Amino acid sequence: MPQSTEPPPRPPTGLEIADWVRQRIRTGRFVPGQRLVEVDIIRQTGASRSKVREALQRLEGEGLVEIEEFRGASVRSSTLDEVRQIYRARMALEGMAMHDFTAKADPAMIARLQDLQDQLDACVKDRAPDRFGRLNNEWHRLIVEGSGNNVIAEHLQRLNVPIHRLLFESFYDDDRLNTANADHRAMLALIVAGDADGAERAMRRHIGDGFETLARIEDEFYS
Amino acid sequence: MPQSTEPPPRPPTGLEIADWVRQRIRTGRFVPGQRLVEVDIIRQTGASRSKVREALQRLEGEGLVEIEEFRGASVRSSTLDEVRQIYRARMALEGMAMHDFTAKADPAMIARLQDLQDQLDACVKDRAPDRFGRLNNEWHRLIVEGSGNNVIAEHLQRLNVPIHRLLFESFYDDDRLNTANADHRAMLALIVAGDADGAERAMRRHIGDGFETLARIEDEFYS
DNA sequence: ATCAACAACATTGTCAACAATGTCGTCAGC
DNA sequence: GCTGACGACATTGTTGACAATGTTGTTGAT
């Protein structure tokens, strides 16, 4: 795509366009409510209109954008209540993933997790919130991928999309950084101990707390 | 659509085509592996090619069909392990739905559930497995819709699609009919008692047992 | 009989032109 | 100034023709 240093001669496929748009939504370059005009995307990506339309329909299926007849696509925005529902679903699925991960984790996986944990600890010490964010994502992904359940992994990926304007800020709360990391350590201990049920409960609490933090930030924002 | 007695004059939309195909997969009219040729669907539904292609891409996004370049769409088939993963996801999500339903159920909802339960009991007595199947679906839907979590509801709907050839047969096991109904009664009692955690555990066990039955049938089939 | 090469056909992918609709500014009338 | 009708423009929806690819059947040599 044109944005990179080396534009590929091959015109981008529908999936690539979808990725491109998804990425821009993830990074906040496309904000909720913003209209996604086909021609603009064509100009920026070099794709044909069919491909762009295909990509937008795909994203609509993922719940990321909204398409209205003759009005086109726009980035979907969600209420706080929908975010609550998303977190509830994440608690269920990621909890289950944690359960299965704990039940089948081998020493190699645990070692990788331990390594990640050390890096996360360092981030907390150094107050490096965005590196923490990246590693945090990786930590959660490691659990989910390691659970051996691709169906859950795919559904979680779909739930992990920030369609709420406040989802970006939750990690920059210093308090939250500390408690989240403490949660991670506790979960690691439970995994090592082979306590699948306990690890699942801990994961659910961890995600639930994440939402609480988010809701608190939202509250403060409006007062 | 042509199959009904009164074909609508308006050409069907992409969503309707998707529903049409989905329905045919659900009822076993389209079996896993079967190719879905665009022209055939056009002939049978009267839709335009764009709409058919849109519908197929949508279904691909749902994981129901598989699209290969220049080879078109075909009904996706899944291994027993993928079915296991699906059931695992259902345990997580429907368990959570049950939890929230129990926590917020009002007398009216409980009454509707009680009514359904009576009809289910009758079905078991009368040995009416397919009516039981329909009511059973309604029972589960009532719980999920009543949980107040649309996100979970949508993800469950996506998980509820039978892409495995044996998913149809599991209800016709007479033993299973009885235990499943007993599960339902037990869950109803837990709901009335307001025991959200207990109801969640019961739902998870119930769904897990469903998979066990399925796996047993599969085993017998291959021996 | 087997196999490769080839050709006719079937099916899907792409694109561009056109139609349908929404959007926004303009202007007359009050 | 306000409002509603009107028209130019922008954007999306639809269709059909054509290109690219896969599929199947045929033929002829071995």
Side-chain angles (χ1 to χ4, degrees):
Chain A
M1 330 230 168
Q3 67 168 4
S4 86
T5 57
E6 186 197 339
R10 171 183 54 82
T13 160
L15 277 174
E16 287 170 334
I17 305 293
D19 284 343
W20 185 84
V21 176
R22 211 183 286 115
Q23 185 68 19
R24 300 217 143 189
I25 294 178
R26 270 228 169 81
T27 56
R29 197 128 164 45
F30 289 160
V31 299
Q34 179 169 346
R35 289 189 53 182
L36 302 172
V37 179
E38 295 173 358
V39 188
D40 293 344
I41 300 179
I42 291 172
R43 267 197 284 266
Q44 294 183 62
T45 62
S48 66
R49 197 149 87 97
S50 343
K51 293 302 180 186
V52 172
R53 287 174 67 77
E54 176 192 329
L56 290 175
Q57 281 170 4
R58 207 176 276 274
L59 293 170
E60 188 197 23
E62 293 177 19
L64 249 176
V65 313
E66 198 174 16
I67 298 183
E68 287 169 294
E69 180 124 341
F70 291 111
R71 297 216 46 239
S74 51
V75 181
R76 223 168 74 85
S77 61
S78 48
T79 63
L80 183 62
D81 186 65
E82 189 179 354
V83 175
R84 181 191 62 79
Q85 294 178 24
I86 290 175
Y87 267 78
R88 212 93 183 109
R90 281 191 55 201
M91 284 170 68
L93 289 174
E94 211 158 331
M96 180 65 85
M98 176 58 102
H99 180 106
D100 293 353
F101 179 92
T102 303
K104 71 175 290 221
D106 55 273
M109 276 188 197
I110 292 183
R112 282 182 61 191
L113 204 58
Q114 181 72 59
D115 183 53
L116 254 175
Q117 187 59 58
D118 291 343
Q119 294 183 54
L120 278 164
D121 289 345
C123 284
V124 173
K125 230 179 233 139
D126 302 349
R127 299 267 153 76
D130 62 323
R131 181 170 152 77
F132 183 89
R134 275 200 310 276
L135 289 172
N136 182 61
N137 281 345
E138 211 170 319
W139 193 91
H140 280 263
R141 190 149 45 85
L142 190 57
I143 299 290
V144 173
E145 311 263 317
S147 76
N149 193 318
N150 267 83
V151 172
I152 287 184
E154 278 163 29
H155 279 261
L156 273 172
Q157 187 150 23
R158 195 162 283 191
L159 287 169
N160 207 16
V161 173
I163 40 188
H164 195 256
R165 64 193 147 60
L166 288 177
L167 245 56
F168 303 103
E169 308 183 15
S170 59
F171 272 153
Y172 296 85
D173 183 318
D174 221 48
D175 243 22
R176 176 67 192 148
L177 221 76
N178 272 298
T179 43
N181 201 44
D183 288 352
H184 285 180
R185 280 162 169 283
M187 284 190 268
L188 182 51
L190 289 166
I191 291 169
V192 171
D195 181 0
D197 287 344
E200 175 171 6
R201 276 194 300 273
M203 176 64 96
R204 284 172 70 147
R205 225 177 306 131
H206 173 63
I207 296 174
D209 288 351
F211 174 72
E212 295 298 332
T213 305
L214 189 68
R216 187 160 42 76
I217 291 176
E218 169 105 1
D219 248 19
E220 287 167 8
F221 188 80
Y222 281 127
S223 60
Chain B
M1 330 223 170
Q3 66 169 5
S4 85
T5 57
E6 186 198 339
R10 172 183 53 83
T13 158
L15 277 174
E16 287 170 336
I17 305 293
D19 284 344
W20 186 83
V21 175
R22 213 182 284 115
Q23 185 66 18
R24 299 219 142 189
I25 294 178
R26 271 229 169 80
T27 56
R29 197 127 163 47
F30 289 159
V31 299
Q34 180 170 344
R35 289 188 54 183
L36 303 172
V37 180
E38 294 174 358
V39 189
D40 293 344
I41 300 179
I42 291 172
R43 268 198 285 265
Q44 294 184 61
T45 62
S48 65
R49 196 148 89 95
S50 345
K51 293 302 182 186
V52 172
R53 288 173 67 77
E54 176 191 330
L56 290 175
Q57 281 170 4
R58 206 177 277 272
L59 292 170
E60 188 198 23
E62 294 178 18
L64 249 176
V65 314
E66 196 173 20
I67 297 183
E68 287 170 294
E69 180 124 342
F70 291 110
R71 296 215 48 238
S74 51
V75 181
R76 225 167 73 83
S77 61
S78 50
T79 63
L80 183 61
D81 186 65
E82 190 179 352
V83 176
R84 181 190 62 78
Q85 295 178 24
I86 290 174
Y87 267 79
R88 212 92 183 110
R90 282 190 55 201
M91 285 170 67
L93 289 175
E94 212 159 330
M96 180 64 84
M98 176 58 103
H99 181 106
D100 293 355
F101 179 92
T102 304
K104 71 176 290 221
D106 54 273
M109 277 188 196
I110 291 183
R112 282 182 61 190
L113 204 58
Q114 181 73 60
D115 183 53
L116 254 175
Q117 188 58 57
D118 292 342
Q119 295 184 53
L120 278 164
D121 288 344
C123 285
V124 173
K125 232 180 230 138
D126 303 348
R127 297 267 153 77
D130 62 324
R131 181 169 152 77
F132 182 90
R134 273 199 311 276
L135 289 172
N136 182 61
N137 280 345
E138 211 171 320
W139 192 91
H140 281 263
R141 193 149 42 85
L142 191 57
I143 298 291
V144 173
E145 310 264 318
S147 76
N149 193 319
N150 266 81
V151 172
I152 287 184
E154 277 163 29
H155 279 260
L156 273 171
Q157 186 151 22
R158 194 163 284 190
L159 286 169
N160 206 17
V161 172
I163 41 186
H164 196 255
R165 63 191 149 61
L166 289 179
L167 246 55
F168 302 103
E169 309 184 16
S170 60
F171 272 154
Y172 296 87
D173 183 319
D174 221 49
D175 243 22
R176 177 65 192 148
L177 221 75
N178 273 298
T179 44
N181 202 42
D183 287 352
H184 285 180
R185 281 162 167 285
M187 283 190 270
L188 182 51
L190 288 165
I191 291 169
V192 172
D195 182 359
D197 287 343
E200 173 170 8
R201 275 194 301 273
M203 175 64 95
R204 284 172 69 148
R205 225 177 305 129
H206 174 64
I207 295 174
D209 288 350
F211 175 71
E212 295 298 332
T213 307
L214 189 69
R216 187 159 42 74
I217 292 175
E218 167 104 3
D219 247 20
E220 286 165 8
F221 188 81
Y222 280 127
S223 61

